[in-house]
Amino acid sequence: MVYSAAQLVRSRGVAATGVRDVVAHANAPRGSFQHYFPGGKDQLVGEALIWSGDFAAGWAAEYPATTRRPTPAGLFAHLVRQWRDEFTTRGFERGCPVMAGSADLAGGDSPVNDQVRAALARWHRAVTDQLVRMDLPRHRARRLATLMISTLEGAIMTARIQRSVTPLTTVVRELGPLLG
Amino acid sequence: MVYSAAQLVRSRGVAATGVRDVVAHANAPRGSFQHYFPGGKDQLVGEALIWSGDFAAGWAAEYPATTRRPTPAGLFAHLVRQWRDEFTTRGFERGCPVMAGSADLAGGDSPVNDQVRAALARWHRAVTDQLVRMDLPRHRARRLATLMISTLEGAIMTARIQRSVTPLTTVVRELGPLLG
DNA sequence: TCCACGTTATGACGTCTGTCATACTATGAC
DNA sequence: GTCATAGTATGACAGACGTCATAACGTGGA
């Protein structure tokens, strides 16, 4: 159910995603929603965002298993690759849940902002840890992780708007040399 | 009125922004909305996005007047500076309208997607032109513009989530050396 | 004065939202 | 059997949404 919520939020945004849509998408009984989510919609999308943050962090953590010589550039390419695959196989319908949450509620004072922040922090931490494993000093790893995530998110946005994966390949090609 | 729409979309997203809110924010009579915007909400947010794209393009075009020796890195810093000022003086309430439009409707088939695409294209074109003026070949200028805009957008998102301008200063510091 | 037209005012429509209240069914303990 | 409890099923609520229909208003020309 939180998975369904995440998918719908990714494609339509937070505000446009109704709880009725989520329960229908999850083939769940409508009465179960209020039983498992007494916190209402806020709790639902909050858990969806946390789940997404964990997923992104897990994906970053899998990078060492995909190569024999890990590099920052390779890590960035690994992060981008997931989105290129997503777009090529499933189309441009779904974007990043963190961006969706940010765009819809980062301006206000919704309690879900805590979960948006937590999801991004978890993801950022995972990327940083990978860079630290490559013997980068932690403070520099943090800055590089910020750069990577920012560029990736922006490229995701651009790619979805143009409905083309070119921005993804462009940023990985242009940013790679700097990252080493 | 399209200006009010842009501001509200920037802070709350497209779906969460009601036409009633817009006319109230613009101190405009409610009956005027349907007179000037017979196309309804789609037309309103569409024009708001076009307006935003023009504004961003204009900002990019102003760069040469701010320096004696234009460089790609200086241009990027110029683009980022606007957002650092926005966040420091007006807080993190308002984000980028293009991102808001992308997050809320890029997944579906809303007719407003054309305007989102147009706004991004106009902005991208303006940045590209600036790079071409620095004697970069057009095809390379296009790629660098994609990188700049993507990184900037992602940094805006990150900054708003963390409610800190640090991501902005980080990306300009890390990306600068590569851009030259 | 009269009409026409651009603009504003207001009320209502149907639909959707999130949430709540209530009743039902199952399962398991004793 | 009896009872409690977890889970499910509906229906209704008040409010907001986008849109439409209609009427009133102001101003300029004939």
Side-chain angles (χ1 to χ4, degrees), chain A residues 20 29-32 34-36:
Chain A
R20 287 171 165 89
R30 219 187 87 207
S32 298
Q34 91 179 251
H35 189 260
Y36 289 103

Side-chain angles (χ1 to χ4, degrees), chain A residues 62-119:
Chain A
E62 280 176 8
Y63 167 62
T66 67
T67 179
R68 268 190 307 122
R69 227 180 62 78
T71 62
L75 172 60
F76 183 62
H78 176 73
L79 299 180
V80 173
R81 182 162 26 242
Q82 177 201 2
W83 286 97
R84 218 199 41 204
D85 293 351
E86 158 84 23
F87 290 150
T88 49
T89 65
R90 265 175 288 273
F92 298 90
E93 186 186 347
R94 295 193 261 257
C96 174
V98 175
M99 177 155 48
S102 165
D104 278 8
L105 9 111
D109 55 352
S110 161
V112 193
N113 276 320
D114 294 341
Q115 272 82 294
V116 180
R117 214 172 345 260

Side-chain angles (χ1 to χ4, degrees), chain A residues 5 19 26 30 34 44-45 54 65 68-71 80 103 107 122-123 130 132 134 141 163 165 168-169 172 175 180:
Chain A
V19 296
R30 219 187 87 207
Q34 91 179 251
L44 176 63
V45 319
D54 290 349
R68 268 190 307 122
R69 227 180 62 78
T71 62
V80 173
R122 177 132 174 59
W123 185 19
Q130 289 301 317
V132 168
M134 301 171 200
R163 295 188 186 272
V165 294
L168 293 176
T169 65
V172 73
L175 203 56

Side-chain angles (χ1 to χ4, degrees), chain A residues 122-141:
Chain A
R122 177 132 174 59
W123 185 19
H124 185 270
R125 171 69 183 260
V127 174
T128 302
D129 287 346
Q130 289 301 317
L131 293 170
V132 168
R133 284 179 53 148
M134 301 171 200
D135 294 329
L136 274 81
R138 180 140 225 124
H139 70 278
R140 169 135 184 81

